Amino acid sequence: YIGVDKLPYPLSESFDGLIESINSFDSESYYKKVHEFLKSIGNIEFGGASDAAADEIEKHIKSLWQKKEKQK
């Protein structure tokens, strides 16, 4: 379990706090904190999961077709 207060995202408890978080948002700092957090929890996302999944599905389908062709 990771408490909400440990997440690298701004937390606002009021409307005024939300406005302050929006106005003071620093994208460079945000991305750095998110990257460090994801690394600390063992996230190994490389940005290509959809492509990798599609490649595996395509290999599987080709393998099935090849097996079917050999059975003819």
Side-chain angles (χ1 to χ4, degrees):
Y1 173 77
I2 300 171
V4 70
D5 60 318
K6 302 294 183 201
L7 299 174
Y9 311 110
L11 176 63
S12 301
E13 297 179 354
S14 68
F15 182 75
D16 290 338
L18 175 61
I19 298 301
E20 177 59 30
S21 291
I22 292 169
N23 288 334
S24 64
F25 183 77
D26 175 4
S27 62
E28 186 175 321
S29 173
Y30 169 78
Y31 288 114
K32 182 179 178 183
K33 288 178 185 177
V34 169
H35 176 73
E36 289 171 2
F37 172 76
L38 293 175
K39 186 177 176 183
S40 76
I41 63 169
N43 182 294
I44 56 170
E45 176 62 41
F46 60 91
S50 296
D51 288 336
D55 289 345
E56 289 301 315
I57 292 168
E58 186 176 3
K59 285 180 196 175
H60 183 70
I61 291 171
K62 285 180 180 179
S63 172
L64 291 174
W65 282 27
Q66 289 172 350
K67 287 179 184 177
K68 188 174 182 179
E69 288 296 317
K70 286 181 181 180
Q71 292 175 353
K72 287 185 177 182

Short mmCIF file of all heavy atoms in Angstrom, two decimals:
data_model
loop_
_atom_site.label_atom_id
_atom_site.label_comp_id
_atom_site.label_asym_id
_atom_site.label_seq_id
_atom_site.Cartn_x
_atom_site.Cartn_y
_atom_site.Cartn_z
N TYR A 1 0.84 -1.19 0.00
CA TYR A 1 0.00 0.00 0.00
C TYR A 1 0.88 1.24 0.00
O TYR A 1 1.84 1.33 0.76
CB TYR A 1 -0.93 -0.01 1.21
CG TYR A 1 -1.71 1.27 1.37
CD1 TYR A 1 -2.80 1.53 0.58
CD2 TYR A 1 -1.33 2.21 2.32
CE1 TYR A 1 -3.52 2.70 0.72
CE2 TYR A 1 -2.04 3.38 2.47
CZ TYR A 1 -3.13 3.62 1.67
OH TYR A 1 -3.84 4.78 1.80
N ILE A 2 0.53 2.19 -0.84
CA ILE A 2 1.22 3.48 -0.89
C ILE A 2 0.19 4.54 -0.54
O ILE A 2 -0.81 4.70 -1.24
CB ILE A 2 1.81 3.75 -2.28
CG1 ILE A 2 2.82 2.67 -2.64
CG2 ILE A 2 2.46 5.12 -2.33
CD1 ILE A 2 3.30 2.73 -4.07
N GLY A 3 0.46 5.25 0.52
CA GLY A 3 -0.46 6.31 0.94
C GLY A 3 -0.48 7.46 -0.06
O GLY A 3 0.51 7.74 -0.73
N VAL A 4 -1.63 8.09 -0.17
CA VAL A 4 -1.79 9.18 -1.13
C VAL A 4 -0.77 10.30 -0.88
O VAL A 4 -0.34 10.98 -1.81
CB VAL A 4 -3.25 9.71 -1.12
CG1 VAL A 4 -3.57 10.45 0.15
CG2 VAL A 4 -3.52 10.57 -2.33
N ASP A 5 -0.36 10.46 0.35
CA ASP A 5 0.61 11.51 0.67
C ASP A 5 2.02 11.17 0.19
O ASP A 5 2.90 12.02 0.15
CB ASP A 5 0.64 11.79 2.18
CG ASP A 5 1.01 10.56 2.99
OD1 ASP A 5 0.51 9.46 2.67
OD2 ASP A 5 1.78 10.71 3.95
N LYS A 6 2.26 9.91 -0.21
CA LYS A 6 3.56 9.49 -0.71
C LYS A 6 3.65 9.56 -2.24
O LYS A 6 4.72 9.39 -2.81
CB LYS A 6 3.86 8.05 -0.28
CG LYS A 6 3.84 7.83 1.22
CD LYS A 6 4.96 8.56 1.90
CE LYS A 6 4.94 8.23 3.39
NZ LYS A 6 5.62 9.21 4.18
N LEU A 7 2.54 9.80 -2.89
CA LEU A 7 2.54 9.89 -4.35
C LEU A 7 3.17 11.20 -4.81
O LEU A 7 3.09 12.20 -4.10
CB LEU A 7 1.10 9.77 -4.87
CG LEU A 7 0.39 8.47 -4.55
CD1 LEU A 7 -1.06 8.53 -4.99
CD2 LEU A 7 1.10 7.30 -5.21
N PRO A 8 3.77 11.20 -6.00
CA PRO A 8 4.48 12.40 -6.47
C PRO A 8 3.57 13.44 -7.13
O PRO A 8 4.03 14.25 -7.92
CB PRO A 8 5.46 11.82 -7.48
CG PRO A 8 4.72 10.67 -8.07
CD PRO A 8 3.95 10.08 -6.90
N TYR A 9 2.32 13.40 -6.81
CA TYR A 9 1.36 14.30 -7.45
C TYR A 9 0.90 15.36 -6.46
O TYR A 9 0.82 15.10 -5.26
CB TYR A 9 0.15 13.49 -7.95
CG TYR A 9 0.56 12.28 -8.74
CD1 TYR A 9 0.38 11.00 -8.25
CD2 TYR A 9 1.16 12.43 -9.99
CE1 TYR A 9 0.77 9.89 -8.98
CE2 TYR A 9 1.56 11.32 -10.71
CZ TYR A 9 1.36 10.06 -10.21
OH TYR A 9 1.75 8.97 -10.93
N PRO A 10 0.57 16.54 -6.96
CA PRO A 10 0.07 17.58 -6.06
C PRO A 10 -1.23 17.12 -5.38
O PRO A 10 -2.07 16.48 -6.00
CB PRO A 10 -0.20 18.77 -6.98
CG PRO A 10 0.53 18.49 -8.24
CD PRO A 10 0.64 17.00 -8.35
N LEU A 11 -1.34 17.42 -4.13
CA LEU A 11 -2.53 17.07 -3.37
C LEU A 11 -3.13 18.36 -2.82
O LEU A 11 -2.47 19.13 -2.14
CB LEU A 11 -2.18 16.14 -2.21
CG LEU A 11 -3.31 15.76 -1.28
CD1 LEU A 11 -4.39 14.98 -2.04
CD2 LEU A 11 -2.78 14.94 -0.11
N SER A 12 -4.37 18.59 -3.15
CA SER A 12 -5.06 19.80 -2.69
C SER A 12 -6.25 19.39 -1.85
O SER A 12 -6.99 18.49 -2.21
CB SER A 12 -5.53 20.64 -3.87
OG SER A 12 -4.44 21.02 -4.68
N GLU A 13 -6.41 20.06 -0.74
CA GLU A 13 -7.51 19.74 0.17
C GLU A 13 -8.61 20.80 0.14
O GLU A 13 -9.57 20.71 0.89
CB GLU A 13 -6.96 19.55 1.57
CG GLU A 13 -6.01 18.36 1.64
CD GLU A 13 -5.43 18.14 3.02
OE1 GLU A 13 -5.67 18.97 3.93
OE2 GLU A 13 -4.73 17.13 3.19
N SER A 14 -8.44 21.78 -0.72
CA SER A 14 -9.45 22.83 -0.84
C SER A 14 -9.40 23.41 -2.25
O SER A 14 -8.44 23.19 -3.00
CB SER A 14 -9.20 23.95 0.17
OG SER A 14 -8.00 24.65 -0.16
N PHE A 15 -10.42 24.17 -2.59
CA PHE A 15 -10.45 24.82 -3.89
C PHE A 15 -9.28 25.78 -4.04
O PHE A 15 -8.60 25.81 -5.08
CB PHE A 15 -11.78 25.54 -4.10
CG PHE A 15 -11.89 26.19 -5.44
CD1 PHE A 15 -12.11 25.43 -6.58
CD2 PHE A 15 -11.75 27.56 -5.57
CE1 PHE A 15 -12.19 26.03 -7.83
CE2 PHE A 15 -11.83 28.17 -6.82
CZ PHE A 15 -12.06 27.39 -7.95
N ASP A 16 -9.03 26.56 -2.99
CA ASP A 16 -7.90 27.51 -3.04
C ASP A 16 -6.57 26.77 -3.20
O ASP A 16 -5.69 27.22 -3.93
CB ASP A 16 -7.88 28.38 -1.78
CG ASP A 16 -9.02 29.38 -1.73
OD1 ASP A 16 -9.58 29.71 -2.80
OD2 ASP A 16 -9.37 29.84 -0.62
N GLY A 17 -6.44 25.63 -2.52
CA GLY A 17 -5.23 24.83 -2.65
C GLY A 17 -5.07 24.30 -4.06
O GLY A 17 -3.95 24.23 -4.59
N LEU A 18 -6.18 23.92 -4.68
CA LEU A 18 -6.16 23.43 -6.06
C LEU A 18 -5.69 24.53 -7.00
O LEU A 18 -4.83 24.31 -7.86
CB LEU A 18 -7.54 22.94 -6.47
CG LEU A 18 -7.71 22.52 -7.93
CD1 LEU A 18 -6.78 21.36 -8.27
CD2 LEU A 18 -9.16 22.15 -8.21
N ILE A 19 -6.24 25.72 -6.83
CA ILE A 19 -5.84 26.86 -7.68
C ILE A 19 -4.35 27.15 -7.49
O ILE A 19 -3.62 27.38 -8.47
CB ILE A 19 -6.70 28.11 -7.36
CG1 ILE A 19 -8.17 27.84 -7.67
CG2 ILE A 19 -6.18 29.34 -8.10
CD1 ILE A 19 -8.45 27.47 -9.12
N GLU A 20 -3.88 27.11 -6.26
CA GLU A 20 -2.46 27.35 -5.98
C GLU A 20 -1.59 26.27 -6.66
O GLU A 20 -0.55 26.58 -7.23
CB GLU A 20 -2.20 27.37 -4.48
CG GLU A 20 -0.74 27.53 -4.10
CD GLU A 20 -0.08 28.80 -4.61
OE1 GLU A 20 -0.78 29.82 -4.76
OE2 GLU A 20 1.13 28.77 -4.88
N SER A 21 -2.02 25.01 -6.58
CA SER A 21 -1.27 23.93 -7.22
C SER A 21 -1.20 24.12 -8.74
O SER A 21 -0.16 23.89 -9.36
CB SER A 21 -1.92 22.58 -6.92
OG SER A 21 -1.76 22.24 -5.57
N ILE A 22 -2.29 24.54 -9.32
CA ILE A 22 -2.33 24.78 -10.77
C ILE A 22 -1.41 25.94 -11.14
O ILE A 22 -0.61 25.85 -12.08
CB ILE A 22 -3.77 25.05 -11.24
CG1 ILE A 22 -4.60 23.77 -11.11
CG2 ILE A 22 -3.79 25.57 -12.68
CD1 ILE A 22 -6.09 23.98 -11.29
N ASN A 23 -1.51 27.03 -10.40
CA ASN A 23 -0.71 28.22 -10.71
C ASN A 23 0.78 28.02 -10.48
O ASN A 23 1.60 28.66 -11.14
CB ASN A 23 -1.20 29.42 -9.90
CG ASN A 23 -2.54 29.92 -10.38
OD1 ASN A 23 -2.90 29.75 -11.54
ND2 ASN A 23 -3.30 30.54 -9.49
N SER A 24 1.15 27.15 -9.56
CA SER A 24 2.57 26.96 -9.26
C SER A 24 3.15 25.69 -9.89
O SER A 24 4.27 25.29 -9.58
CB SER A 24 2.77 26.92 -7.74
OG SER A 24 2.12 25.79 -7.17
N PHE A 25 2.38 25.08 -10.81
CA PHE A 25 2.83 23.83 -11.42
C PHE A 25 4.13 24.04 -12.19
O PHE A 25 4.27 24.96 -12.99
CB PHE A 25 1.75 23.29 -12.36
CG PHE A 25 2.11 21.97 -12.98
CD1 PHE A 25 2.03 20.81 -12.25
CD2 PHE A 25 2.54 21.91 -14.30
CE1 PHE A 25 2.36 19.59 -12.82
CE2 PHE A 25 2.86 20.70 -14.88
CZ PHE A 25 2.78 19.54 -14.14
N ASP A 26 5.09 23.15 -11.94
CA ASP A 26 6.40 23.17 -12.61
C ASP A 26 6.57 21.81 -13.29
O ASP A 26 6.83 20.81 -12.62
CB ASP A 26 7.50 23.42 -11.57
CG ASP A 26 8.90 23.35 -12.14
OD1 ASP A 26 9.06 23.17 -13.37
OD2 ASP A 26 9.86 23.47 -11.36
N SER A 27 6.41 21.78 -14.60
CA SER A 27 6.42 20.50 -15.31
C SER A 27 7.76 19.77 -15.17
O SER A 27 7.78 18.55 -15.04
CB SER A 27 6.06 20.68 -16.78
OG SER A 27 6.98 21.49 -17.43
N GLU A 28 8.86 20.47 -15.17
CA GLU A 28 10.17 19.82 -15.05
C GLU A 28 10.29 19.11 -13.70
O GLU A 28 10.70 17.95 -13.63
CB GLU A 28 11.29 20.85 -15.21
CG GLU A 28 12.67 20.24 -15.24
CD GLU A 28 13.75 21.26 -15.52
OE1 GLU A 28 13.52 22.15 -16.36
OE2 GLU A 28 14.82 21.15 -14.90
N SER A 29 9.91 19.80 -12.65
CA SER A 29 9.94 19.21 -11.31
C SER A 29 8.97 18.05 -11.21
O SER A 29 9.27 16.99 -10.64
CB SER A 29 9.60 20.27 -10.27
OG SER A 29 9.47 19.70 -8.99
N TYR A 30 7.78 18.21 -11.79
CA TYR A 30 6.76 17.16 -11.77
C TYR A 30 7.27 15.88 -12.43
O TYR A 30 7.18 14.80 -11.85
CB TYR A 30 5.50 17.67 -12.48
CG TYR A 30 4.48 16.60 -12.76
CD1 TYR A 30 3.64 16.15 -11.75
CD2 TYR A 30 4.36 16.05 -14.02
CE1 TYR A 30 2.70 15.16 -12.00
CE2 TYR A 30 3.42 15.07 -14.28
CZ TYR A 30 2.59 14.63 -13.27
OH TYR A 30 1.67 13.64 -13.51
N TYR A 31 7.81 15.99 -13.64
CA TYR A 31 8.28 14.81 -14.35
C TYR A 31 9.45 14.14 -13.62
O TYR A 31 9.57 12.92 -13.61
CB TYR A 31 8.65 15.14 -15.79
CG TYR A 31 7.43 15.40 -16.64
CD1 TYR A 31 7.18 16.66 -17.16
CD2 TYR A 31 6.50 14.39 -16.88
CE1 TYR A 31 6.04 16.90 -17.92
CE2 TYR A 31 5.36 14.62 -17.63
CZ TYR A 31 5.14 15.88 -18.14
OH TYR A 31 4.01 16.10 -18.88
N LYS A 32 10.31 14.94 -13.02
CA LYS A 32 11.42 14.39 -12.25
C LYS A 32 10.90 13.59 -11.06
O LYS A 32 11.34 12.47 -10.80
CB LYS A 32 12.36 15.50 -11.78
CG LYS A 32 13.55 15.00 -11.02
CD LYS A 32 14.46 16.14 -10.60
CE LYS A 32 15.63 15.60 -9.79
NZ LYS A 32 16.49 16.67 -9.31
N LYS A 33 9.94 14.14 -10.32
CA LYS A 33 9.37 13.45 -9.16
C LYS A 33 8.65 12.18 -9.57
O LYS A 33 8.78 11.14 -8.91
CB LYS A 33 8.40 14.37 -8.41
CG LYS A 33 9.08 15.48 -7.66
CD LYS A 33 8.04 16.38 -6.99
CE LYS A 33 8.68 17.58 -6.34
NZ LYS A 33 7.68 18.49 -5.75
N VAL A 34 7.89 12.24 -10.66
CA VAL A 34 7.17 11.05 -11.13
C VAL A 34 8.17 9.98 -11.55
O VAL A 34 8.02 8.80 -11.19
CB VAL A 34 6.21 11.40 -12.29
CG1 VAL A 34 5.66 10.15 -12.95
CG2 VAL A 34 5.07 12.27 -11.78
N HIS A 35 9.21 10.35 -12.28
CA HIS A 35 10.22 9.39 -12.73
C HIS A 35 10.89 8.73 -11.52
O HIS A 35 11.05 7.50 -11.48
CB HIS A 35 11.26 10.09 -13.61
CG HIS A 35 12.39 9.19 -14.01
ND1 HIS A 35 12.25 8.20 -14.95
CD2 HIS A 35 13.67 9.13 -13.58
CE1 HIS A 35 13.39 7.57 -15.09
NE2 HIS A 35 14.27 8.11 -14.27
N GLU A 36 11.28 9.52 -10.53
CA GLU A 36 11.93 8.98 -9.33
C GLU A 36 10.99 8.05 -8.58
O GLU A 36 11.40 7.00 -8.08
CB GLU A 36 12.41 10.12 -8.43
CG GLU A 36 13.59 10.87 -9.01
CD GLU A 36 13.94 12.13 -8.22
OE1 GLU A 36 13.29 12.42 -7.19
OE2 GLU A 36 14.87 12.83 -8.64
N PHE A 37 9.72 8.43 -8.48
CA PHE A 37 8.74 7.59 -7.79
C PHE A 37 8.56 6.26 -8.50
O PHE A 37 8.60 5.19 -7.88
CB PHE A 37 7.40 8.32 -7.68
CG PHE A 37 6.30 7.46 -7.15
CD1 PHE A 37 6.23 7.16 -5.80
CD2 PHE A 37 5.33 6.95 -7.99
CE1 PHE A 37 5.23 6.35 -5.30
CE2 PHE A 37 4.32 6.14 -7.51
CZ PHE A 37 4.27 5.85 -6.16
N LEU A 38 8.35 6.30 -9.81
CA LEU A 38 8.14 5.08 -10.57
C LEU A 38 9.36 4.16 -10.48
O LEU A 38 9.22 2.94 -10.35
CB LEU A 38 7.81 5.39 -12.02
CG LEU A 38 6.46 6.09 -12.25
CD1 LEU A 38 6.30 6.48 -13.71
CD2 LEU A 38 5.31 5.23 -11.78
N LYS A 39 10.53 4.73 -10.51
CA LYS A 39 11.76 3.95 -10.36
C LYS A 39 11.81 3.31 -8.98
O LYS A 39 12.18 2.14 -8.85
CB LYS A 39 12.98 4.85 -10.59
CG LYS A 39 14.29 4.12 -10.61
CD LYS A 39 15.43 5.08 -10.91
CE LYS A 39 16.77 4.38 -10.82
NZ LYS A 39 17.88 5.31 -11.04
N SER A 40 11.42 4.04 -7.96
CA SER A 40 11.48 3.53 -6.59
C SER A 40 10.52 2.37 -6.34
O SER A 40 10.77 1.54 -5.47
CB SER A 40 11.22 4.65 -5.58
OG SER A 40 9.84 4.97 -5.51
N ILE A 41 9.43 2.29 -7.11
CA ILE A 41 8.48 1.19 -6.92
C ILE A 41 8.71 0.06 -7.92
O ILE A 41 7.93 -0.89 -7.97
CB ILE A 41 7.01 1.67 -6.96
CG1 ILE A 41 6.65 2.26 -8.33
CG2 ILE A 41 6.72 2.64 -5.83
CD1 ILE A 41 5.17 2.51 -8.51
N GLY A 42 9.76 0.18 -8.72
CA GLY A 42 10.12 -0.90 -9.62
C GLY A 42 9.42 -0.87 -10.97
O GLY A 42 9.42 -1.86 -11.68
N ASN A 43 8.85 0.25 -11.33
CA ASN A 43 8.20 0.37 -12.63
C ASN A 43 9.28 0.35 -13.71
O ASN A 43 10.24 1.10 -13.65
CB ASN A 43 7.40 1.66 -12.70
CG ASN A 43 6.66 1.81 -14.00
OD1 ASN A 43 7.26 1.95 -15.05
ND2 ASN A 43 5.35 1.81 -13.93
N ILE A 44 9.10 -0.49 -14.71
CA ILE A 44 10.09 -0.60 -15.78
C ILE A 44 9.49 -0.26 -17.13
O ILE A 44 9.94 -0.73 -18.16
CB ILE A 44 10.73 -2.00 -15.81
CG1 ILE A 44 9.66 -3.09 -15.94
CG2 ILE A 44 11.59 -2.24 -14.59
CD1 ILE A 44 10.21 -4.46 -16.21
N GLU A 45 8.46 0.52 -17.14
CA GLU A 45 7.79 0.92 -18.38
C GLU A 45 8.80 1.60 -19.30
O GLU A 45 9.58 2.45 -18.89
CB GLU A 45 6.65 1.87 -18.09
CG GLU A 45 5.95 2.43 -19.31
CD GLU A 45 5.31 1.37 -20.18
OE1 GLU A 45 4.72 0.44 -19.65
OE2 GLU A 45 5.43 1.49 -21.41
N PHE A 46 8.79 1.20 -20.55
CA PHE A 46 9.73 1.78 -21.51
C PHE A 46 9.03 2.55 -22.62
O PHE A 46 9.67 3.02 -23.55
CB PHE A 46 10.63 0.69 -22.09
CG PHE A 46 9.88 -0.38 -22.82
CD1 PHE A 46 9.64 -0.29 -24.17
CD2 PHE A 46 9.40 -1.48 -22.13
CE1 PHE A 46 8.94 -1.28 -24.84
CE2 PHE A 46 8.71 -2.48 -22.79
CZ PHE A 46 8.47 -2.39 -24.14
N GLY A 47 7.71 2.65 -22.53
CA GLY A 47 6.98 3.42 -23.52
C GLY A 47 6.61 2.67 -24.78
O GLY A 47 6.16 3.27 -25.73
N GLY A 48 6.82 1.37 -24.80
CA GLY A 48 6.51 0.62 -26.00
C GLY A 48 5.67 -0.62 -25.74
O GLY A 48 5.72 -1.58 -26.51
N ALA A 49 4.91 -0.62 -24.66
CA ALA A 49 4.14 -1.80 -24.28
C ALA A 49 3.12 -2.19 -25.36
O ALA A 49 2.97 -3.39 -25.65
CB ALA A 49 3.44 -1.57 -22.95
N SER A 50 2.44 -1.25 -25.94
CA SER A 50 1.45 -1.57 -26.96
C SER A 50 2.10 -2.20 -28.19
O SER A 50 1.59 -3.19 -28.73
CB SER A 50 0.69 -0.31 -27.39
OG SER A 50 -0.04 0.21 -26.32
N ASP A 51 3.23 -1.65 -28.60
CA ASP A 51 3.94 -2.21 -29.74
C ASP A 51 4.44 -3.62 -29.43
O ASP A 51 4.33 -4.53 -30.26
CB ASP A 51 5.13 -1.34 -30.13
CG ASP A 51 4.72 -0.03 -30.78
OD1 ASP A 51 3.60 0.02 -31.35
OD2 ASP A 51 5.50 0.93 -30.73
N ALA A 52 4.98 -3.82 -28.23
CA ALA A 52 5.49 -5.14 -27.85
C ALA A 52 4.36 -6.16 -27.80
O ALA A 52 4.52 -7.30 -28.26
CB ALA A 52 6.20 -5.06 -26.50
N ALA A 53 3.21 -5.76 -27.25
CA ALA A 53 2.06 -6.66 -27.18
C ALA A 53 1.57 -7.02 -28.59
O ALA A 53 1.30 -8.19 -28.88
CB ALA A 53 0.94 -6.03 -26.37
N ALA A 54 1.49 -6.04 -29.46
CA ALA A 54 1.05 -6.28 -30.83
C ALA A 54 2.02 -7.21 -31.56
O ALA A 54 1.59 -8.11 -32.29
CB ALA A 54 0.91 -4.97 -31.59
N ASP A 55 3.31 -7.03 -31.34
CA ASP A 55 4.31 -7.90 -31.96
C ASP A 55 4.14 -9.35 -31.50
O ASP A 55 4.23 -10.28 -32.30
CB ASP A 55 5.73 -7.42 -31.66
CG ASP A 55 6.10 -6.14 -32.38
OD1 ASP A 55 5.38 -5.75 -33.33
OD2 ASP A 55 7.11 -5.52 -31.98
N GLU A 56 3.91 -9.55 -30.21
CA GLU A 56 3.73 -10.90 -29.68
C GLU A 56 2.47 -11.55 -30.23
O GLU A 56 2.47 -12.74 -30.57
CB GLU A 56 3.69 -10.88 -28.15
CG GLU A 56 5.03 -10.59 -27.51
CD GLU A 56 6.10 -11.60 -27.89
OE1 GLU A 56 5.83 -12.82 -27.88
OE2 GLU A 56 7.22 -11.17 -28.23
N ILE A 57 1.40 -10.79 -30.33
CA ILE A 57 0.15 -11.32 -30.90
C ILE A 57 0.37 -11.71 -32.36
O ILE A 57 -0.06 -12.77 -32.80
CB ILE A 57 -0.99 -10.29 -30.76
CG1 ILE A 57 -1.35 -10.11 -29.28
CG2 ILE A 57 -2.20 -10.69 -31.58
CD1 ILE A 57 -2.25 -8.94 -28.99
N GLU A 58 1.06 -10.86 -33.10
CA GLU A 58 1.33 -11.15 -34.51
C GLU A 58 2.18 -12.41 -34.66
O GLU A 58 1.90 -13.26 -35.52
CB GLU A 58 2.05 -9.96 -35.15
CG GLU A 58 2.24 -10.10 -36.64
CD GLU A 58 2.85 -8.87 -37.28
OE1 GLU A 58 3.19 -7.91 -36.58
OE2 GLU A 58 2.99 -8.90 -38.51
N LYS A 59 3.20 -12.59 -33.81
CA LYS A 59 4.02 -13.80 -33.85
C LYS A 59 3.18 -15.03 -33.58
O LYS A 59 3.33 -16.07 -34.23
CB LYS A 59 5.15 -13.72 -32.81
CG LYS A 59 6.27 -12.80 -33.16
CD LYS A 59 7.30 -12.81 -32.04
CE LYS A 59 8.27 -11.67 -32.11
NZ LYS A 59 9.18 -11.63 -30.95
N HIS A 60 2.30 -14.93 -32.60
CA HIS A 60 1.45 -16.06 -32.24
C HIS A 60 0.52 -16.43 -33.40
O HIS A 60 0.36 -17.62 -33.73
CB HIS A 60 0.65 -15.73 -30.98
CG HIS A 60 -0.20 -16.85 -30.49
ND1 HIS A 60 0.33 -18.00 -29.94
CD2 HIS A 60 -1.53 -17.01 -30.48
CE1 HIS A 60 -0.65 -18.82 -29.61
NE2 HIS A 60 -1.80 -18.24 -29.93
N ILE A 61 -0.08 -15.44 -34.00
CA ILE A 61 -0.98 -15.70 -35.13
C ILE A 61 -0.22 -16.34 -36.29
O ILE A 61 -0.70 -17.31 -36.88
CB ILE A 61 -1.69 -14.40 -35.57
CG1 ILE A 61 -2.68 -13.96 -34.49
CG2 ILE A 61 -2.39 -14.58 -36.92
CD1 ILE A 61 -3.28 -12.59 -34.72
N LYS A 62 0.95 -15.83 -36.61
CA LYS A 62 1.76 -16.41 -37.69
C LYS A 62 2.12 -17.85 -37.38
O LYS A 62 2.08 -18.73 -38.25
CB LYS A 62 3.02 -15.59 -37.92
CG LYS A 62 2.77 -14.28 -38.64
CD LYS A 62 4.06 -13.51 -38.85
CE LYS A 62 3.78 -12.20 -39.56
NZ LYS A 62 5.00 -11.41 -39.77
N SER A 63 2.45 -18.13 -36.12
CA SER A 63 2.78 -19.49 -35.71
C SER A 63 1.58 -20.41 -35.89
O SER A 63 1.73 -21.54 -36.39
CB SER A 63 3.23 -19.49 -34.25
OG SER A 63 3.40 -20.79 -33.77
N LEU A 64 0.41 -19.95 -35.52
CA LEU A 64 -0.80 -20.75 -35.68
C LEU A 64 -1.08 -21.02 -37.16
O LEU A 64 -1.46 -22.13 -37.54
CB LEU A 64 -2.00 -20.07 -35.04
CG LEU A 64 -2.00 -19.99 -33.51
CD1 LEU A 64 -3.18 -19.16 -33.01
CD2 LEU A 64 -2.03 -21.38 -32.89
N TRP A 65 -0.89 -20.04 -38.02
CA TRP A 65 -1.12 -20.20 -39.46
C TRP A 65 -0.14 -21.21 -40.04
O TRP A 65 -0.50 -22.03 -40.88
CB TRP A 65 -1.00 -18.86 -40.17
CG TRP A 65 -2.19 -17.98 -40.02
CD1 TRP A 65 -3.09 -17.95 -39.00
CD2 TRP A 65 -2.62 -16.99 -40.94
NE1 TRP A 65 -4.03 -16.99 -39.21
CE2 TRP A 65 -3.78 -16.37 -40.40
CE3 TRP A 65 -2.14 -16.53 -42.14
CZ2 TRP A 65 -4.45 -15.35 -41.04
CZ3 TRP A 65 -2.82 -15.49 -42.78
CH2 TRP A 65 -3.97 -14.93 -42.24
N GLN A 66 1.11 -21.11 -39.60
CA GLN A 66 2.13 -22.04 -40.09
C GLN A 66 1.79 -23.46 -39.70
O GLN A 66 1.93 -24.39 -40.51
CB GLN A 66 3.52 -21.66 -39.58
CG GLN A 66 4.06 -20.39 -40.22
CD GLN A 66 5.34 -19.91 -39.58
OE1 GLN A 66 5.76 -20.40 -38.54
NE2 GLN A 66 5.97 -18.91 -40.21
N LYS A 67 1.34 -23.69 -38.49
CA LYS A 67 0.95 -25.01 -38.04
C LYS A 67 -0.24 -25.53 -38.85
O LYS A 67 -0.27 -26.69 -39.24
CB LYS A 67 0.59 -25.00 -36.54
CG LYS A 67 1.78 -24.87 -35.65
CD LYS A 67 1.35 -24.84 -34.18
CE LYS A 67 2.54 -24.60 -33.28
NZ LYS A 67 2.13 -24.51 -31.87
N LYS A 68 -1.18 -24.64 -39.12
CA LYS A 68 -2.36 -25.03 -39.89
C LYS A 68 -1.96 -25.41 -41.32
O LYS A 68 -2.48 -26.36 -41.88
CB LYS A 68 -3.38 -23.89 -39.90
CG LYS A 68 -4.69 -24.26 -40.50
CD LYS A 68 -5.72 -23.14 -40.35
CE LYS A 68 -7.03 -23.58 -40.93
NZ LYS A 68 -8.07 -22.56 -40.78
N GLU A 69 -1.04 -24.65 -41.91
CA GLU A 69 -0.58 -24.94 -43.28
C GLU A 69 0.14 -26.29 -43.34
O GLU A 69 0.01 -27.02 -44.31
CB GLU A 69 0.34 -23.82 -43.78
CG GLU A 69 -0.39 -22.52 -44.09
CD GLU A 69 -1.39 -22.67 -45.23
OE1 GLU A 69 -1.07 -23.31 -46.24
OE2 GLU A 69 -2.52 -22.15 -45.07
N LYS A 70 0.90 -26.62 -42.31
CA LYS A 70 1.62 -27.90 -42.28
C LYS A 70 0.66 -29.07 -42.18
O LYS A 70 0.96 -30.16 -42.62
CB LYS A 70 2.60 -27.92 -41.12
CG LYS A 70 3.82 -27.06 -41.33
CD LYS A 70 4.75 -27.15 -40.15
CE LYS A 70 5.98 -26.26 -40.35
NZ LYS A 70 6.90 -26.32 -39.23
N GLN A 71 -0.49 -28.86 -41.58
CA GLN A 71 -1.47 -29.92 -41.40
C GLN A 71 -2.21 -30.25 -42.70
O GLN A 71 -2.84 -31.29 -42.80
CB GLN A 71 -2.49 -29.55 -40.31
CG GLN A 71 -1.91 -29.50 -38.93
CD GLN A 71 -2.90 -29.03 -37.89
OE1 GLN A 71 -4.01 -28.61 -38.22
NE2 GLN A 71 -2.50 -29.08 -36.63
N LYS A 72 -2.14 -29.38 -43.68
CA LYS A 72 -2.86 -29.60 -44.95
C LYS A 72 -2.23 -30.67 -45.78
O LYS A 72 -1.18 -31.03 -45.82
CB LYS A 72 -2.93 -28.30 -45.76
CG LYS A 72 -3.90 -27.31 -45.17
CD LYS A 72 -3.99 -26.11 -46.09
CE LYS A 72 -5.01 -25.12 -45.55
NZ LYS A 72 -5.17 -23.97 -46.42
#
